[in-house]
Amino acid sequence: MKTLLKFLFIYLLLFSFGYSIDPSTISANIPQISTQAQNNTETISAKPTDMTTTDDQTLNPQNAPYSIQNSAITKVVFGFHLFNGNFTQASQFLYNPDYKIAIGDKINFRMWGAVEFHQELMVDSQGNIFIPAVGAVNLLGVRNGDLVKVLKSSIAKIYKNNVFVYADMNVYQNVSIFVTGNVNKPGLYQGLSSDSIVQYLDKAGGINLEYGSFRDIEILRDNKPVLKVDLYNFLLNGKVQLFPFRTGDVILVKNLQEYVSVKGEVQKPYRFELKDDIKTLEDIAIISGAKPIVTNAIVRSYLPNNILDIISYNKNQFQNVLLKTGDEIEFRPDYNSKNISVSIEGEHDGLHSLIIKKGTTLKELIRLIKVNKQSNIEAIQVFRKSVANSQKQLIESQLKELETLALTSSSITTQESAVRSSQANMILEFIQRAKNIQPKGQIVLDSQEAYATTILEEGDIINIPTKNNLVLVQGEVAIPGAFIYEPNKNLQYYIKLAGDFTERANKKRILLIRANGKAERYNGSWYALSSAPGLNPGDSLLVLPAIETGRNLQITSILTQILYQIAIATKVILDINK
């Protein structure tokens, strides 16, 4: 009985499974697969056709765009600006006495005197023109300069006297010229016989600036060189040699061979090709337009056996220094001065710019400044460009590290990922604002004793503050502003005067920046604030904001340090949330 029940159960199960499958579904799916295969086949077979079209467009040099060359190379090659398409816009119809008349040329013919005749005549397929009462005159291959003479000779056989002849080329037949070698778009180009080589090169997209030569170009006819062209004659002197092109001529741009690179105090800081007219350091100084202030040249030469030779030459030696391929030349002005210039700003009655001897100290300079009753000479400030640059570099390096951390922070959950993304955007906006900060480069003068040891440098700015009775409080306080100085009052007094700390204040980082640039750090505890030294007129009190970046303590640390550096360098608090 049990065996029978098992058999019935299995039978019903198989029957229900078979009944649930629709055979039409299976049959309906088969054509779909077949159709899909056909569509895929059509798609694949269509791709070569598209590729062929693309290749045809690429191979056709007249339709293809100019190739994009390395921008770094483009900007340092002498002559890079020559080929930009301007020479392809027009052709020049110039009288060329050496041009040889070809089939299809049109000649403006005039005959007067005993016989009057004027007409434009075309050279036919046999090289002839037909003149009434004279007959056919063969002009194929005749020089343009001999055209009138040949016509007169033929007409004189019919009209002996009192007949005058004039003829001129009206329309030159187009010629087809091959342009190849180191050009950007080698190919076959049409133009006039009188067109210059510059026009044909421009049609070919110009010379390849990485390895093409501007000074070694040949025109070939019947596979033999007939003319060598140096484009430096055109670039430097405006001279271009006209050449009567014929169909089938080849313009070949050869490889760049010998060259030097020039930079520094020159009008043309480019790569130049060497030739007979550029052999010495004096030659390249003239070609590159070395400025009158140049006194020296640093030449870096690449010698055999992996040796880099660096030599400095003065101007008197230029004519005796022979250049080598690959030399890197830097022209410099090298002058020594016994004096420096400094600027005097702020509250004083004297000159705003002083010339002093090198080695002058701040103490010696103060004697030269004409102060007045409002000059606070005890809080004198010195600002230096090199210090500002160092502060800027320090801040930028920290910003770069912060950016890396913000973009690479990992998250465990989706919710945390969204928070990280929002924080990263906020940090990136802060980084952009921080990059625009310009440090002042103030030198800290701890006491007046430092005046005697502070040696001034070229470009230093000396600021004489005005005597005032103000203390500046800014940052995370309720009412930032300038407050009247009160003797014997501590930090806590001025923070209370500014409305106390805000909720976002970082009470562990309170900066007191003295008028002389010295920075002191305090925390916000009652004991620390009450025991801190008193403030002086002109001091600044900066309360930094607290940084909240979740669990990423490294980002918090770097952000706090950046805010600290910016506050010291600029006396400004940059808010991360704005």
Side-chain angles (χ1 to χ4, degrees):
M1 186 70 178
K2 291 182 179 179
T3 305
L4 180 62
L5 289 174
K6 288 181 179 179
F7 176 79
L8 289 174
F9 176 78
I10 294 172
Y11 176 80
L12 290 173
L13 180 64
L14 293 173
F15 178 80
S16 61
F17 176 76
Y19 184 80
S20 65
I21 299 176
D22 186 1
S24 63
T25 306
I26 301 175
S27 61
N29 286 338
I30 295 175
Q32 291 178 7
I33 297 173
S34 176
T35 304
Q36 174 110 16
Q38 291 177 2
N39 291 339
N40 288 342
T41 304
E42 291 175 0
T43 305
I44 294 171
S45 64
K47 286 183 179 179
T49 304
D50 295 338
M51 290 173 64
T52 304
T53 304
T54 305
D55 289 341
D56 287 343
Q57 292 173 350
T58 304
L59 292 175
N60 185 353
Q62 305 209 1
N63 293 333
Y66 286 167
S67 64
I68 300 175
Q69 301 187 57
N70 189 321
S71 59
I73 294 292
T74 300
K75 295 180 180 178
V76 297
V77 176
F78 179 61
F80 75 93
H81 61 289
L82 183 60
F83 300 110
N84 51 23
N86 290 337
F87 293 108
T88 64
Q89 306 302 319
S91 292
Q92 48 187 5
F93 296 90
L94 299 177
Y95 173 70
N96 186 353
D98 295 321
Y99 173 74
K100 292 186 177 181
I101 297 174
I103 295 171
D105 285 346
K106 294 181 180 180
I107 298 171
N108 188 14
F109 177 78
R110 182 182 294 273
M111 186 168 59
W112 71 98
V115 179
E116 296 286 340
F117 180 74
H118 176 213
Q119 190 173 335
E120 182 182 76
L121 305 175
M122 179 182 289
V123 179
D124 62 22
S125 59
Q126 298 181 26
N128 299 321
I129 62 171
F130 185 82
I131 303 175
V134 175
V137 180
N138 189 276
L139 298 178
L140 185 63
V142 173
R143 288 180 66 253
N144 192 16
D146 299 330
L147 175 60
V148 175
K149 183 171 66 175
V150 172
L151 289 173
K152 282 183 178 181
S153 176
S154 298
I155 293 172
K157 296 176 183 179
I158 306 299
Y159 300 103
K160 304 297 183 182
N161 298 309
N162 200 28
V163 174
F164 305 94
V165 176
Y166 175 78
D168 183 35
M169 292 292 300
N170 192 16
V171 177
Y172 290 87
Q173 184 69 14
N174 280 346
V175 294
S176 297
I177 305 299
F178 293 97
V179 185
T180 186
N182 296 304
V183 293
N184 292 315
K185 296 192 301 177
L188 183 64
Y189 296 91
Q190 286 193 342
L192 296 179
S193 170
S194 57
D195 285 346
S196 71
I197 188 173
V198 177
Q199 291 172 280
Y200 284 108
L201 288 173
D202 203 13
K203 291 178 181 179
I207 295 173
N208 187 290
L209 298 177
E210 292 189 49
Y211 42 78
S213 173
F214 281 73
R215 311 204 68 179
D216 193 4
I217 304 171
E218 287 185 347
I219 299 177
L220 308 178
R221 179 170 293 168
D222 298 328
N223 298 324
K224 296 179 182 179
V226 293
L227 183 67
K228 289 186 176 290
V229 179
D230 183 352
L231 289 182
Y232 274 28
N233 288 331
F234 179 65
L235 289 166
L236 296 171
N237 306 313
K239 296 179 180 179
V240 58
Q241 183 177 353
L242 295 180
F243 177 80
F245 283 101
R246 296 183 191 173
T247 294
D249 285 350
V250 177
I251 298 174
L252 175 63
V253 178
K254 294 193 172 183
N255 291 334
L256 173 69
Q257 296 293 337
E258 299 182 342
Y259 63 90
V260 296
S261 300
V262 180
K263 64 179 181 179
E265 295 296 328
V266 293
Q267 298 171 352
K268 296 186 280 290
Y270 304 125
R271 185 190 73 194
F272 292 87
E273 296 182 49
L274 301 179
K275 218 173 181 181
D276 293 340
D277 58 341
I278 306 179
K279 290 183 176 181
T280 66
L281 194 55
E282 184 178 48
D283 295 334
I284 198 64
I286 295 172
I287 295 296
S288 63
K291 298 178 182 178
I293 61 174
V294 168
T295 60
N296 294 75
I298 306 297
V299 180
R300 293 173 174 83
S301 300
Y302 296 87
L303 305 180
N305 301 324
N306 300 326
I307 297 175
L308 175 60
D309 192 24
I310 304 176
I311 303 178
S312 175
Y313 300 98
N314 61 53
K315 200 169 185 178
N316 296 329
Q317 297 173 299
F318 285 4
Q319 60 182 347
N320 299 320
V321 180
L322 294 177
L323 300 176
K324 295 178 285 294
T325 298
D327 280 356
E328 297 174 358
I329 305 160
E330 181 179 1
F331 290 100
R332 294 179 176 179
D334 191 358
Y335 295 92
N336 295 317
S337 175
K338 296 181 180 179
N339 299 324
I340 61 172
S341 173
V342 296
S343 299
I344 313 298
E345 298 181 355
E347 187 64 45
H348 66 97
D349 295 334
L351 297 174
H352 288 78
S353 180
L354 290 178
I355 306 300
I356 57 178
K357 291 183 178 181
K358 280 186 176 180
T360 300
T361 64
L362 180 60
K363 182 177 180 180
E364 293 170 335
L365 177 70
I366 291 175
R367 299 184 188 135
L368 304 176
I369 299 175
K370 189 177 180 180
V371 298
N372 56 41
K373 292 182 179 180
Q374 292 299 315
S375 301
N376 187 1
I377 205 69
E378 296 179 357
I380 194 169
Q381 301 166 340
V382 178
F383 301 96
R384 183 166 291 170
K385 291 180 181 178
S386 59
V387 175
N389 291 335
S390 298
Q391 292 174 334
K392 182 74 171 177
Q393 290 174 4
L394 176 61
I395 293 172
E396 287 180 348
S397 65
Q398 292 175 331
L399 289 174
K400 188 175 182 179
E401 183 179 358
L402 175 63
E403 184 177 20
T404 302
L405 288 173
L407 294 176
T408 57
S409 297
S410 59
S411 304
I412 300 176
T413 65
T414 304
Q415 184 178 4
E416 185 180 359
S417 176
V419 173
R420 293 284 188 195
S421 177
S422 176
Q423 288 179 348
N425 291 332
M426 179 183 66
I427 291 173
L428 292 177
E429 291 177 2
F430 166 79
I431 290 173
Q432 290 302 317
R433 287 185 286 118
K435 286 181 178 179
N436 296 325
I437 291 293
Q438 296 299 329
K440 296 181 178 181
Q442 183 174 358
I443 297 175
V444 177
L445 301 171
D446 193 16
S447 65
Q448 293 190 29
E449 295 177 357
Y451 295 179
T453 58
T454 303
I455 298 176
L456 300 175
E457 295 182 3
E458 172 68 29
D460 280 354
I461 299 174
I462 290 83
N463 183 56
I464 313 297
T466 302
K467 290 180 179 179
N468 62 61
N469 59 342
L470 298 177
V471 173
L472 183 66
V473 183
Q474 58 175 317
E476 293 301 324
V477 290
I479 312 172
F483 301 95
I484 301 297
Y485 168 75
E486 293 289 343
N488 302 321
K489 297 296 184 181
N490 55 26
L491 273 66
Q492 188 177 28
Y493 169 80
Y494 289 100
I495 290 175
K496 294 294 183 182
L497 204 61
D500 214 338
F501 298 111
T502 65
E503 294 180 356
R504 295 179 59 248
N506 183 355
K507 297 180 181 180
K508 294 182 179 180
R509 286 185 179 268
I510 300 174
L511 287 179
L512 173 59
I513 300 181
R514 302 290 185 181
N516 60 8
K518 183 180 179 180
E520 302 171 4
R521 175 182 164 185
Y522 301 94
N523 63 53
S525 66
W526 175 85
Y527 175 77
L529 293 180
S530 60
S531 60
L535 278 69
N536 298 317
D539 289 348
S540 297
L541 192 60
L542 284 71
V543 181
L544 300 181
I547 306 298
E548 295 292 340
T549 57
R551 296 182 302 172
N552 200 324
L553 299 179
Q554 193 173 5
I555 290 181
T556 302
S557 175
I558 294 177
L559 260 176
T560 304
Q561 186 65 22
I562 290 173
L563 290 176
Y564 186 76
Q565 294 290 344
I566 291 175
I568 293 176
T570 64
K571 295 185 181 180
V572 172
I573 295 179
L574 192 62
D575 194 342
I576 188 173
N577 296 313
K578 293 182 180 179

